[in-house]
Amino acid sequence: MPTVFSSAFLAVQIPAALFLPLAALAGVGLDRLFGEPRRWHPLVGFGALANAVERRLNLAGGRRLHGLLAWSLLILPLFALAEWLIPAGWPGWLLHVLLLALALGARSLGEHARRVADDLASGDLLQARQHVGWMVSRQTEDLDAAGVASACLESTLENGNDAIFGVLFWFALLGGPGALLFRLANTLDAMWGYRNPRFADFGWAAAGLDDLLNFIPARLTALSYALCGRTRSALRCWREQGANWKSPNAGPVMAAGAGSLGVALGGPACYHGHLEERPPLGQGRPAAAEDIAQALTLVRRSMLLWLALLVCWGLARA
């Protein structure tokens, strides 16, 4: 028999327009309290399944078609299942919250970045290199303190979009299943979106579809970084530097973020033994350890701005 409290809770009626904004607040709060699961994370199981599918389908001949088929087999059934499983009323609301919390990576991003900042603050460059290596795909063994800080800042700004704002954007459009769709697509891009002999063709669909899903969220993220920091500098860097980056979405995000923080990012970096001459991002002095906390503050303020706008949008429609 339900308690008086649970009966009253289930009887609460909220305007339909506030359904998702309140779920967004709850999902962000849940992620902040608990973060990503330490064990039995669903994305770990999804990654293992993706590896198995890739081994079966990444064959010579028709690799682009095979990659698109693999992406569709891994993501579309899970998206459809999530849509089908969500019931009406409070149980459905709770499932939306849970899916959003599982898709978000805000707390995890903050933990990784603060770990690197603490290493640099204590003068432990060896640990800082190791920990920033968990965040980036470049080689970190020979980075100095400024190089570690720069790599951490780039990852923090870019993953602000991938782990937070892209998820919130698709949640606002499609609820929990939309957040799930975006996070799974972003995961496959991270696994398959490499321009090397193994994935150049097979990962073409994963990379292209991730770019498509990220196109609007990335530009809204860049605008948010600009509004929550040095606005003029951020907008100028976005306009002048964003299109020069190899990723059409990461470029605007990181250029605006670097401009907002008043630091210089980009420049040469070593990937898989090859030195890449990357274009500059932002303007000002080189990155330092204390800028990592400022970057996390910028991401947090931007997230609060998004949540406030979601709630205002809901209230305006209620």
Side-chain angles (χ1 to χ4, degrees):
M1 177 178 294
T3 64
V4 173
F5 174 78
S6 62
S7 298
F9 177 77
L10 292 173
V12 171
Q13 296 294 321
I14 61 173
L18 288 174
F19 191 83
L20 284 182
L22 292 179
L25 291 174
V28 169
L30 202 60
D31 173 71
R32 183 172 178 80
L33 283 174
F34 300 105
E36 296 183 337
R38 302 295 182 183
R39 301 177 61 187
W40 310 107
H41 196 302
L43 283 181
V44 175
F46 177 77
L49 179 61
N51 283 330
V53 169
E54 186 263 333
R55 286 193 297 270
R56 291 293 184 90
L57 293 181
N58 191 3
L59 306 172
R63 281 183 173 172
R64 286 195 172 187
L65 182 60
H66 292 167
L68 178 59
L69 175 62
W71 190 96
S72 301
L73 288 174
L74 285 165
I75 291 182
L76 297 183
L78 291 175
F79 172 73
L81 180 64
E83 284 278 11
W84 180 70
L85 284 176
I86 293 180
W90 283 106
W93 184 84
L94 293 172
L95 192 51
H96 280 293
V97 171
L98 180 60
L99 285 173
L100 176 60
L102 288 173
L104 281 169
R107 174 166 172 166
S108 177
L109 176 62
E111 289 172 347
H112 281 294
R114 279 189 290 271
R115 186 182 294 118
V116 175
D118 291 342
D119 292 336
L120 291 174
S122 65
D124 194 342
L125 184 57
L126 188 63
Q127 281 286 85
R129 288 168 175 165
Q130 178 183 348
H131 289 149
V132 82
W134 298 353
M135 301 178 67
V136 299
S137 58
R138 77 190 68 174
Q139 292 175 220
T140 62
E141 297 87 352
D142 298 324
L143 293 178
D144 59 11
V148 169
S150 180
C152 184
L153 282 175
E154 289 178 20
S155 180
T156 299
L157 294 171
E158 181 179 4
N159 283 296
N161 176 68
D162 293 343
I164 302 173
F165 302 112
V167 175
L168 286 175
F169 176 84
W170 285 100
F171 181 81
L173 290 183
L174 300 174
L180 177 68
L181 169 71
F182 178 83
R183 186 63 188 270
L184 295 183
N186 189 253
T187 300
L188 288 187
D189 176 58
M191 296 177 68
W192 298 347
Y194 294 101
R195 297 175 183 175
N196 57 29
R198 180 175 178 179
F199 291 114
D201 289 326
F202 184 82
W204 168 80
L209 289 167
D210 181 72
D211 284 344
L212 182 63
L213 291 172
N214 243 324
F215 186 83
I216 296 176
R219 281 142 188 85
L220 292 177
T221 301
L223 180 59
S224 303
Y225 287 168
L227 293 175
C228 294
R230 295 175 173 87
T231 304
R232 281 188 171 183
S233 173
L235 293 176
R236 182 170 61 253
C237 292
W238 174 9
R239 183 178 65 252
E240 296 176 356
Q241 302 169 342
N244 299 330
W245 202 252
K246 60 183 179 180
S247 168
N249 295 322
V253 168
M254 291 195 294
S260 185
L261 293 170
V263 297
L265 302 177
C270 191
Y271 295 88
H272 311 294
H274 300 285
L275 186 66
E276 290 190 12
E277 292 293 337
R278 308 177 308 160
L281 296 169
Q283 61 179 15
R285 56 178 175 76
E290 56 268 22
D291 295 315
I292 297 174
Q294 295 300 316
L296 289 174
T297 298
L298 179 65
V299 171
R300 183 172 64 253
R301 287 175 178 171
S302 298
M303 183 167 61
L304 291 175
L305 174 64
W306 279 53
L307 292 174
L309 290 174
L310 271 174
V311 172
C312 290
W313 173 64
L315 289 172
R317 295 171 59 237

mmCIF file of all heavy atoms in Angstrom, residues 12-50:
data_model
loop_
_atom_site.group_PDB
_atom_site.id
_atom_site.type_symbol
_atom_site.label_atom_id
_atom_site.label_comp_id
_atom_site.label_asym_id
_atom_site.label_seq_id
_atom_site.Cartn_x
_atom_site.Cartn_y
_atom_site.Cartn_z
ATOM 1 N N VAL A 12 0.462 14.935 -7.754
ATOM 2 C CA VAL A 12 0.871 16.275 -8.156
ATOM 3 C C VAL A 12 0.712 16.436 -9.663
ATOM 4 O O VAL A 12 1.113 15.578 -10.436
ATOM 5 C CB VAL A 12 2.335 16.536 -7.746
ATOM 6 C CG1 VAL A 12 2.827 17.842 -8.346
ATOM 7 C CG2 VAL A 12 2.463 16.571 -6.232
ATOM 8 N N GLN A 13 0.119 17.515 -10.051
ATOM 9 C CA GLN A 13 -0.052 17.817 -11.474
ATOM 10 C C GLN A 13 0.809 19.014 -11.838
ATOM 11 O O GLN A 13 0.747 20.051 -11.192
ATOM 12 C CB GLN A 13 -1.528 18.124 -11.770
ATOM 13 C CG GLN A 13 -2.476 16.957 -11.526
ATOM 14 C CD GLN A 13 -2.219 15.811 -12.488
ATOM 15 O OE1 GLN A 13 -1.942 16.032 -13.670
ATOM 16 N NE2 GLN A 13 -2.331 14.592 -11.987
ATOM 17 N N ILE A 14 1.629 18.850 -12.839
ATOM 18 C CA ILE A 14 2.433 19.964 -13.326
ATOM 19 C C ILE A 14 2.064 20.225 -14.770
ATOM 20 O O ILE A 14 1.641 19.310 -15.486
ATOM 21 C CB ILE A 14 3.941 19.673 -13.208
ATOM 22 C CG1 ILE A 14 4.318 18.437 -14.044
ATOM 23 C CG2 ILE A 14 4.360 19.508 -11.764
ATOM 24 C CD1 ILE A 14 5.808 18.206 -14.113
ATOM 25 N N PRO A 15 2.183 21.468 -15.222
ATOM 26 C CA PRO A 15 1.883 21.757 -16.626
ATOM 27 C C PRO A 15 2.769 20.928 -17.549
ATOM 28 O O PRO A 15 3.946 20.697 -17.262
ATOM 29 C CB PRO A 15 2.193 23.253 -16.749
ATOM 30 C CG PRO A 15 2.117 23.783 -15.350
ATOM 31 C CD PRO A 15 2.560 22.669 -14.462
ATOM 32 N N ALA A 16 2.195 20.487 -18.649
ATOM 33 C CA ALA A 16 2.945 19.655 -19.590
ATOM 34 C C ALA A 16 4.187 20.365 -20.102
ATOM 35 O O ALA A 16 5.212 19.734 -20.369
ATOM 36 C CB ALA A 16 2.040 19.260 -20.758
ATOM 37 N N ALA A 17 4.129 21.697 -20.237
ATOM 38 C CA ALA A 17 5.267 22.451 -20.757
ATOM 39 C C ALA A 17 6.460 22.421 -19.806
ATOM 40 O O ALA A 17 7.594 22.659 -20.223
ATOM 41 C CB ALA A 17 4.858 23.898 -21.016
ATOM 42 N N LEU A 18 6.215 22.138 -18.503
ATOM 43 C CA LEU A 18 7.307 22.083 -17.533
ATOM 44 C C LEU A 18 7.832 20.665 -17.324
ATOM 45 O O LEU A 18 8.758 20.454 -16.537
ATOM 46 C CB LEU A 18 6.836 22.648 -16.189
ATOM 47 C CG LEU A 18 6.637 24.160 -16.138
ATOM 48 C CD1 LEU A 18 6.042 24.571 -14.797
ATOM 49 C CD2 LEU A 18 7.954 24.882 -16.373
ATOM 50 N N PHE A 19 7.261 19.708 -18.013
ATOM 51 C CA PHE A 19 7.617 18.302 -17.830
ATOM 52 C C PHE A 19 9.110 18.069 -18.078
ATOM 53 O O PHE A 19 9.832 17.567 -17.220
ATOM 54 C CB PHE A 19 6.773 17.454 -18.790
ATOM 55 C CG PHE A 19 6.843 15.978 -18.551
ATOM 56 C CD1 PHE A 19 6.052 15.381 -17.589
ATOM 57 C CD2 PHE A 19 7.695 15.177 -19.296
ATOM 58 C CE1 PHE A 19 6.105 14.016 -17.370
ATOM 59 C CE2 PHE A 19 7.759 13.818 -19.097
ATOM 60 C CZ PHE A 19 6.960 13.230 -18.129
ATOM 61 N N LEU A 20 9.596 18.458 -19.258
ATOM 62 C CA LEU A 20 10.997 18.237 -19.584
ATOM 63 C C LEU A 20 11.947 19.209 -18.883
ATOM 64 O O LEU A 20 13.036 18.807 -18.467
ATOM 65 C CB LEU A 20 11.199 18.269 -21.096
ATOM 66 C CG LEU A 20 10.733 17.023 -21.861
ATOM 67 C CD1 LEU A 20 11.029 17.164 -23.343
ATOM 68 C CD2 LEU A 20 11.390 15.752 -21.313
ATOM 69 N N PRO A 21 11.604 20.513 -18.750
ATOM 70 C CA PRO A 21 12.513 21.383 -17.994
ATOM 71 C C PRO A 21 12.776 20.900 -16.572
ATOM 72 O O PRO A 21 13.918 20.931 -16.103
ATOM 73 C CB PRO A 21 11.791 22.733 -18.003
ATOM 74 C CG PRO A 21 11.012 22.719 -19.276
ATOM 75 C CD PRO A 21 10.547 21.300 -19.424
ATOM 76 N N LEU A 22 11.728 20.434 -15.883
ATOM 77 C CA LEU A 22 11.938 19.921 -14.528
ATOM 78 C C LEU A 22 12.718 18.619 -14.551
ATOM 79 O O LEU A 22 13.527 18.350 -13.655
ATOM 80 C CB LEU A 22 10.586 19.731 -13.831
ATOM 81 C CG LEU A 22 9.823 21.013 -13.509
ATOM 82 C CD1 LEU A 22 8.491 20.699 -12.846
ATOM 83 C CD2 LEU A 22 10.664 21.929 -12.616
ATOM 84 N N ALA A 23 12.496 17.804 -15.576
ATOM 85 C CA ALA A 23 13.285 16.578 -15.718
ATOM 86 C C ALA A 23 14.753 16.906 -15.973
ATOM 87 O O ALA A 23 15.648 16.213 -15.489
ATOM 88 C CB ALA A 23 12.724 15.723 -16.859
ATOM 89 N N ALA A 24 15.007 17.970 -16.729
ATOM 90 C CA ALA A 24 16.391 18.394 -16.979
ATOM 91 C C ALA A 24 17.068 18.798 -15.673
ATOM 92 O O ALA A 24 18.223 18.421 -15.410
ATOM 93 C CB ALA A 24 16.420 19.542 -17.983
ATOM 94 N N LEU A 25 16.367 19.574 -14.849
ATOM 95 C CA LEU A 25 16.927 19.968 -13.559
ATOM 96 C C LEU A 25 17.231 18.746 -12.700
ATOM 97 O O LEU A 25 18.296 18.652 -12.068
ATOM 98 C CB LEU A 25 15.960 20.890 -12.831
ATOM 99 C CG LEU A 25 15.747 22.288 -13.412
ATOM 100 C CD1 LEU A 25 14.653 23.017 -12.644
ATOM 101 C CD2 LEU A 25 17.037 23.095 -13.367
ATOM 102 N N ALA A 26 16.294 17.797 -12.677
ATOM 103 C CA ALA A 26 16.487 16.598 -11.863
ATOM 104 C C ALA A 26 17.631 15.742 -12.398
ATOM 105 O O ALA A 26 18.433 15.199 -11.631
ATOM 106 C CB ALA A 26 15.190 15.785 -11.820
ATOM 107 N N GLY A 27 17.726 15.609 -13.720
ATOM 108 C CA GLY A 27 18.792 14.810 -14.315
ATOM 109 C C GLY A 27 20.169 15.399 -14.055
ATOM 110 O O GLY A 27 21.119 14.681 -13.734
ATOM 111 N N VAL A 28 20.280 16.722 -14.187
ATOM 112 C CA VAL A 28 21.552 17.393 -13.896
ATOM 113 C C VAL A 28 21.897 17.234 -12.416
ATOM 114 O O VAL A 28 23.058 16.988 -12.060
ATOM 115 C CB VAL A 28 21.481 18.875 -14.297
ATOM 116 C CG1 VAL A 28 22.682 19.644 -13.759
ATOM 117 C CG2 VAL A 28 21.413 19.010 -15.816
ATOM 118 N N GLY A 29 20.900 17.364 -11.549
ATOM 119 C CA GLY A 29 21.137 17.185 -10.119
ATOM 120 C C GLY A 29 21.590 15.774 -9.788
ATOM 121 O O GLY A 29 22.485 15.571 -8.960
ATOM 122 N N LEU A 30 20.986 14.789 -10.444
ATOM 123 C CA LEU A 30 21.359 13.393 -10.214
ATOM 124 C C LEU A 30 22.798 13.136 -10.659
ATOM 125 O O LEU A 30 23.564 12.447 -9.973
ATOM 126 C CB LEU A 30 20.391 12.485 -10.974
ATOM 127 C CG LEU A 30 20.248 11.043 -10.491
ATOM 128 C CD1 LEU A 30 19.767 10.997 -9.054
ATOM 129 C CD2 LEU A 30 19.272 10.294 -11.394
ATOM 130 N N ASP A 31 23.157 13.692 -11.813
ATOM 131 C CA ASP A 31 24.545 13.539 -12.285
ATOM 132 C C ASP A 31 25.513 14.218 -11.327
ATOM 133 O O ASP A 31 26.594 13.689 -11.051
ATOM 134 C CB ASP A 31 24.688 14.130 -13.682
ATOM 135 C CG ASP A 31 26.131 14.150 -14.162
ATOM 136 O OD1 ASP A 31 26.675 13.066 -14.448
ATOM 137 O OD2 ASP A 31 26.720 15.248 -14.241
ATOM 138 N N ARG A 32 25.144 15.372 -10.824
ATOM 139 C CA ARG A 32 26.032 16.095 -9.908
ATOM 140 C C ARG A 32 26.218 15.326 -8.601
ATOM 141 O O ARG A 32 27.312 15.307 -8.020
ATOM 142 C CB ARG A 32 25.470 17.486 -9.614
ATOM 143 C CG ARG A 32 26.368 18.332 -8.715
ATOM 144 C CD ARG A 32 25.866 19.753 -8.609
ATOM 145 N NE ARG A 32 26.688 20.560 -7.720
ATOM 146 C CZ ARG A 32 27.848 21.116 -8.067
ATOM 147 N NH1 ARG A 32 28.318 20.968 -9.282
ATOM 148 N NH2 ARG A 32 28.538 21.833 -7.200
ATOM 149 N N LEU A 33 25.168 14.666 -8.127
ATOM 150 C CA LEU A 33 25.251 13.929 -6.869
ATOM 151 C C LEU A 33 26.043 12.627 -7.003
ATOM 152 O O LEU A 33 26.852 12.290 -6.142
ATOM 153 C CB LEU A 33 23.843 13.605 -6.359
ATOM 154 C CG LEU A 33 23.059 14.738 -5.708
ATOM 155 C CD1 LEU A 33 21.647 14.281 -5.389
ATOM 156 C CD2 LEU A 33 23.761 15.201 -4.430
ATOM 157 N N PHE A 34 25.806 11.907 -8.087
ATOM 158 C CA PHE A 34 26.354 10.554 -8.187
ATOM 159 C C PHE A 34 27.369 10.378 -9.323
ATOM 160 O O PHE A 34 28.180 9.457 -9.274
ATOM 161 C CB PHE A 34 25.215 9.547 -8.364
ATOM 162 C CG PHE A 34 24.241 9.543 -7.231
ATOM 163 C CD1 PHE A 34 22.990 10.121 -7.363
ATOM 164 C CD2 PHE A 34 24.579 8.985 -6.011
ATOM 165 C CE1 PHE A 34 22.077 10.125 -6.324
ATOM 166 C CE2 PHE A 34 23.685 8.978 -4.955
ATOM 167 C CZ PHE A 34 22.436 9.552 -5.113
ATOM 168 N N GLY A 35 27.311 11.218 -10.338
ATOM 169 C CA GLY A 35 28.214 11.048 -11.461
ATOM 170 C C GLY A 35 27.928 9.783 -12.244
ATOM 171 O O GLY A 35 26.846 9.185 -12.131
ATOM 172 N N GLU A 36 28.896 9.363 -13.042
ATOM 173 C CA GLU A 36 28.723 8.162 -13.836
ATOM 174 C C GLU A 36 28.960 6.927 -12.968
ATOM 175 O O GLU A 36 29.782 6.958 -12.046
ATOM 176 C CB GLU A 36 29.687 8.165 -15.025
ATOM 177 C CG GLU A 36 29.405 9.300 -15.998
ATOM 178 C CD GLU A 36 30.311 9.249 -17.219
ATOM 179 O OE1 GLU A 36 31.405 8.655 -17.127
ATOM 180 O OE2 GLU A 36 29.916 9.805 -18.258
ATOM 181 N N PRO A 37 28.250 5.825 -13.241
ATOM 182 C CA PRO A 37 28.450 4.598 -12.453
ATOM 183 C C PRO A 37 29.894 4.134 -12.510
ATOM 184 O O PRO A 37 30.515 4.107 -13.569
ATOM 185 C CB PRO A 37 27.520 3.589 -13.144
ATOM 186 C CG PRO A 37 26.515 4.407 -13.873
ATOM 187 C CD PRO A 37 27.224 5.660 -14.290
ATOM 188 N N ARG A 38 30.441 3.756 -11.350
ATOM 189 C CA ARG A 38 31.817 3.267 -11.292
ATOM 190 C C ARG A 38 31.914 1.847 -11.848
ATOM 191 O O ARG A 38 32.952 1.460 -12.380
ATOM 192 C CB ARG A 38 32.322 3.281 -9.837
ATOM 193 C CG ARG A 38 32.260 4.659 -9.181
ATOM 194 C CD ARG A 38 33.202 5.638 -9.854
ATOM 195 N NE ARG A 38 33.165 6.942 -9.198
ATOM 196 C CZ ARG A 38 33.842 7.989 -9.623
ATOM 197 N NH1 ARG A 38 34.596 7.896 -10.708
ATOM 198 N NH2 ARG A 38 33.759 9.146 -8.989
ATOM 199 N N ARG A 39 30.850 1.091 -11.666
ATOM 200 C CA ARG A 39 30.810 -0.283 -12.170
ATOM 201 C C ARG A 39 29.521 -0.482 -12.951
ATOM 202 O O ARG A 39 28.517 0.161 -12.700
ATOM 203 C CB ARG A 39 30.875 -1.286 -11.012
ATOM 204 C CG ARG A 39 32.119 -1.178 -10.148
ATOM 205 C CD ARG A 39 32.069 -2.156 -8.994
ATOM 206 N NE ARG A 39 31.999 -3.539 -9.458
ATOM 207 C CZ ARG A 39 31.813 -4.589 -8.652
ATOM 208 N NH1 ARG A 39 31.658 -4.393 -7.349
ATOM 209 N NH2 ARG A 39 31.769 -5.809 -9.147
ATOM 210 N N TRP A 40 29.584 -1.385 -13.911
ATOM 211 C CA TRP A 40 28.413 -1.729 -14.715
ATOM 212 C C TRP A 40 27.845 -0.521 -15.460
ATOM 213 O O TRP A 40 26.635 -0.362 -15.561
ATOM 214 C CB TRP A 40 27.322 -2.380 -13.858
ATOM 215 C CG TRP A 40 27.798 -3.498 -13.001
ATOM 216 C CD1 TRP A 40 27.962 -3.484 -11.653
ATOM 217 C CD2 TRP A 40 28.188 -4.808 -13.437
ATOM 218 N NE1 TRP A 40 28.436 -4.692 -11.202
ATOM 219 C CE2 TRP A 40 28.580 -5.532 -12.288
ATOM 220 C CE3 TRP A 40 28.258 -5.438 -14.691
ATOM 221 C CZ2 TRP A 40 29.018 -6.848 -12.357
ATOM 222 C CZ3 TRP A 40 28.704 -6.750 -14.752
ATOM 223 C CH2 TRP A 40 29.072 -7.440 -13.606
ATOM 224 N N HIS A 41 28.734 0.335 -15.946
ATOM 225 C CA HIS A 41 28.258 1.485 -16.722
ATOM 226 C C HIS A 41 27.681 0.975 -18.040
ATOM 227 O O HIS A 41 28.339 0.193 -18.749
ATOM 228 C CB HIS A 41 29.406 2.455 -16.995
ATOM 229 C CG HIS A 41 28.944 3.809 -17.434
ATOM 230 N ND1 HIS A 41 28.161 4.019 -18.553
ATOM 231 C CD2 HIS A 41 29.148 5.039 -16.890
ATOM 232 C CE1 HIS A 41 27.905 5.310 -18.688
ATOM 233 N NE2 HIS A 41 28.494 5.950 -17.689
ATOM 234 N N PRO A 42 26.469 1.404 -18.396
ATOM 235 C CA PRO A 42 25.869 0.929 -19.654
ATOM 236 C C PRO A 42 26.723 1.219 -20.883
ATOM 237 O O PRO A 42 26.725 0.437 -21.837
ATOM 238 C CB PRO A 42 24.538 1.693 -19.720
ATOM 239 C CG PRO A 42 24.217 2.027 -18.300
ATOM 240 C CD PRO A 42 25.535 2.245 -17.625
ATOM 241 N N LEU A 43 27.463 2.342 -20.876
ATOM 242 C CA LEU A 43 28.282 2.673 -22.036
ATOM 243 C C LEU A 43 29.457 1.715 -22.212
ATOM 244 O O LEU A 43 29.942 1.531 -23.336
ATOM 245 C CB LEU A 43 28.808 4.104 -21.928
ATOM 246 C CG LEU A 43 27.801 5.206 -22.242
ATOM 247 C CD1 LEU A 43 28.465 6.569 -22.121
ATOM 248 C CD2 LEU A 43 27.215 5.033 -23.645
ATOM 249 N N VAL A 44 29.901 1.098 -21.114
ATOM 250 C CA VAL A 44 30.967 0.102 -21.230
ATOM 251 C C VAL A 44 30.442 -1.109 -21.987
ATOM 252 O O VAL A 44 31.101 -1.642 -22.890
ATOM 253 C CB VAL A 44 31.488 -0.296 -19.842
ATOM 254 C CG1 VAL A 44 32.526 -1.420 -19.956
ATOM 255 C CG2 VAL A 44 32.104 0.909 -19.141
ATOM 256 N N GLY A 45 29.238 -1.547 -21.614
ATOM 257 C CA GLY A 45 28.620 -2.656 -22.338
ATOM 258 C C GLY A 45 28.335 -2.301 -23.784
ATOM 259 O O GLY A 45 28.534 -3.122 -24.696
ATOM 260 N N PHE A 46 27.899 -1.071 -24.023
ATOM 261 C CA PHE A 46 27.648 -0.624 -25.395
ATOM 262 C C PHE A 46 28.948 -0.618 -26.193
ATOM 263 O O PHE A 46 28.975 -1.012 -27.367
ATOM 264 C CB PHE A 46 27.040 0.776 -25.370
ATOM 265 C CG PHE A 46 26.801 1.354 -26.747
ATOM 266 C CD1 PHE A 46 25.721 0.940 -27.506
ATOM 267 C CD2 PHE A 46 27.663 2.309 -27.261
ATOM 268 C CE1 PHE A 46 25.500 1.472 -28.774
ATOM 269 C CE2 PHE A 46 27.452 2.842 -28.529
ATOM 270 C CZ PHE A 46 26.369 2.412 -29.283
ATOM 271 N N GLY A 47 30.039 -0.183 -25.580
ATOM 272 C CA GLY A 47 31.325 -0.170 -26.262
ATOM 273 C C GLY A 47 31.783 -1.567 -26.635
ATOM 274 O O GLY A 47 32.325 -1.787 -27.737
ATOM 275 N N ALA A 48 31.575 -2.523 -25.731
ATOM 276 C CA ALA A 48 31.946 -3.909 -26.042
ATOM 277 C C ALA A 48 31.118 -4.446 -27.199
ATOM 278 O O ALA A 48 31.631 -5.138 -28.090
ATOM 279 C CB ALA A 48 31.759 -4.778 -24.796
ATOM 280 N N LEU A 49 29.822 -4.129 -27.197
ATOM 281 C CA LEU A 49 28.959 -4.545 -28.298
ATOM 282 C C LEU A 49 29.389 -3.892 -29.601
ATOM 283 O O LEU A 49 29.419 -4.535 -30.663
ATOM 284 C CB LEU A 49 27.509 -4.183 -27.973
ATOM 285 C CG LEU A 49 26.457 -4.528 -29.041
ATOM 286 C CD1 LEU A 49 26.420 -6.024 -29.305
ATOM 287 C CD2 LEU A 49 25.082 -4.015 -28.619
ATOM 288 N N ALA A 50 29.746 -2.609 -29.545
ATOM 289 C CA ALA A 50 30.199 -1.901 -30.747
ATOM 290 C C ALA A 50 31.473 -2.526 -31.305
ATOM 291 O O ALA A 50 31.635 -2.648 -32.527
ATOM 292 C CB ALA A 50 30.428 -0.426 -30.421
#
